[in-house]
Amino acid sequence: MSDITEQIEVALKKQGNPINGKDSEDDSLQYSSITAWKRSIGMMGKDHNEATTSATVSKSCQQWYKKGLGYWDNEETCPATVDGMLGGFARISKCDLKGSAEFIKYIKSSIRPTLKLKRDENSDVPTCACECGAGIGRVSKGLLLPLGISQCDLVEPSPRLISSAPEYLGDSASKCRFFCTGLQDFQPKADSYDIIWMQWMIGYLTDDDLVQFLKRCVIALREGGIVVVKDNTCSQEAFVVDRDDASTTRSLPYIIAIAELAGLHVVHQQFQEGFPEDIFPVPMVALAPDK
């Protein structure tokens, strides 16, 4: 069993939370545990031959990532528009951005006043944010830059989407830098970000890669900085697998267990309001380093 997987399952069971999961479309595909699901797709070995297991797991993870990238890099499944970024739910973008802005402003005013949003709050040093899984830069344009952030780094694995970002951003593109890479490979510099924004993308990272990336985020945060995770969550199970785009929707306790393994703790959390009832609940979780 992967050490990360075992620790997540122990943490969930200790709190009385489920560890089972299911497929998003096929009701016959039920998984008794996170381990059972990972073994079913080759992300965890079934034997004790370490070399063979490692090679098999690595290949399975790469195939999983390749399938996910194929979905987002395809114009037919994901147009380079706000509607494409939101899976056909462009109508929720305004509500989403408003909720996110209120969330950050509340944290800044009431919980974490050391969070720097504007240059004049930071001894005239430009503030910087990272939009993870940025697509065309919807969050940078609609949230982070309007909050006063001086510069946004957009990290996106799809060459097609990241190349479309400057046109979408317009004049704001001059305040952005663009990185075409998967987050499992992204190496942010130490003390470089005031906000690291992760929205509707953590489901595309394996547990192990998500923990490792969050550990790198801890190093990349400036003093007072935060990581924000805003994503779909399930409640009856620990996870729901979508094989069409190779993603996994996790429960909120599952997400928090991963964050804690990376050395982060919850500063504040609340659910987004005003979304349609037929989509997954979407919490906003602000995380800060333990030390």
Side-chain angles (χ1 to χ4, degrees):
M1 178 185 290
S2 162
D3 184 50
I4 293 295
T5 303
E6 181 176 14
Q7 291 179 72
I8 292 169
E9 290 185 344
V10 167
L12 291 176
K13 288 191 287 186
K14 185 177 181 180
Q15 298 172 353
N17 293 307
I19 64 170
N20 64 296
K22 67 177 185 179
D23 186 86
S24 63
E25 299 292 337
D26 189 345
D27 290 339
S28 69
L29 290 178
Q30 302 280 335
Y31 308 99
S32 61
S33 65
I34 303 167
T35 298
W37 171 65
K38 290 182 179 180
R39 283 181 172 162
S40 75
I41 61 171
M43 282 191 188
M44 287 182 66
K46 299 179 180 180
D47 57 49
H48 299 288
N49 185 325
E50 186 174 347
T52 301
T53 297
S54 178
T56 301
V57 168
S58 177
K59 182 178 180 180
S60 296
C61 289
Q62 292 308 311
Q63 289 175 337
W64 190 251
Y65 283 141
K66 183 177 180 180
K67 186 174 183 179
L69 178 58
Y71 177 90
W72 290 101
D73 208 30
N74 186 335
E75 176 68 28
E76 292 185 4
T77 53
C78 179
T81 61
V82 170
D83 201 48
M85 298 304 95
L86 296 179
F89 284 89
R91 65 185 184 277
I92 72 171
S93 186
K94 183 177 180 180
C95 175
D96 167 65
L97 295 170
K98 182 176 182 290
S100 297
E102 291 174 351
F103 180 73
I104 291 295
K105 289 174 182 177
Y106 176 76
I107 291 172
K108 167 72 175 171
S109 64
S110 303
I111 297 176
R112 199 169 178 84
T114 53
L115 173 64
K116 310 296 193 304
L117 299 177
K118 301 177 181 179
R119 182 171 184 156
D120 60 10
E121 300 169 350
N122 198 33
S123 302
D124 207 35
V125 176
T127 54
C128 190
C130 180
E131 182 184 357
C132 302
I136 60 174
R138 183 187 70 91
V139 172
S140 290
K141 182 177 181 177
L143 172 69
L144 299 172
L145 291 172
L147 283 173
I149 294 291
S150 307
Q151 175 181 288
C152 286
D153 287 353
L154 282 64
V155 183
E156 167 57 47
S158 166
R160 181 180 63 87
L161 294 179
I162 200 73
S163 65
S164 300
E167 181 179 356
Y168 170 75
L169 290 164
D171 293 341
S172 298
S174 62
K175 298 179 180 179
C176 298
R177 297 187 299 180
F178 306 92
F179 300 84
C180 187
T181 184
L183 290 165
Q184 68 272 20
D185 300 316
F186 183 55
Q187 302 285 337
K189 294 180 180 179
D191 302 313
S192 56
Y193 295 122
D194 299 285
I195 298 178
I196 298 175
W197 193 271
M198 305 173 67
Q199 182 165 358
W200 285 318
M201 48 67 51
I202 63 169
Y204 296 94
L205 289 177
T206 66
D207 291 343
D208 290 61
D209 283 341
L210 181 53
V211 169
Q212 293 306 314
F213 177 64
L214 288 172
K215 285 182 177 180
R216 297 196 294 275
C217 288
V218 170
I219 297 171
L221 283 176
R222 293 172 174 171
E223 183 177 355
I226 57 172
V227 174
V228 177
V229 174
K230 185 172 185 178
D231 217 305
N232 296 343
T233 54
C234 51
S235 56
Q236 301 302 313
E237 302 84 16
F239 61 95
V240 177
V241 179
D242 188 330
R243 290 175 294 155
D244 289 338
D245 66 355
S247 67
T248 308
T249 298
R250 301 175 175 94
S251 67
L252 183 54
Y254 193 159
I255 294 170
I256 292 174
I258 286 175
E260 289 176 346
L261 286 174
L264 292 158
H265 65 273
V266 176
V267 172
H268 182 57
Q269 68 183 55
Q270 68 184 65
F271 279 86
Q272 169 72 46
E273 297 180 349
F275 277 5
E277 293 184 359
D278 59 344
I279 67 174
F280 283 114
V282 178
M284 296 173 279
V285 185
L287 303 162
D290 292 338
K291 297 181 180 179

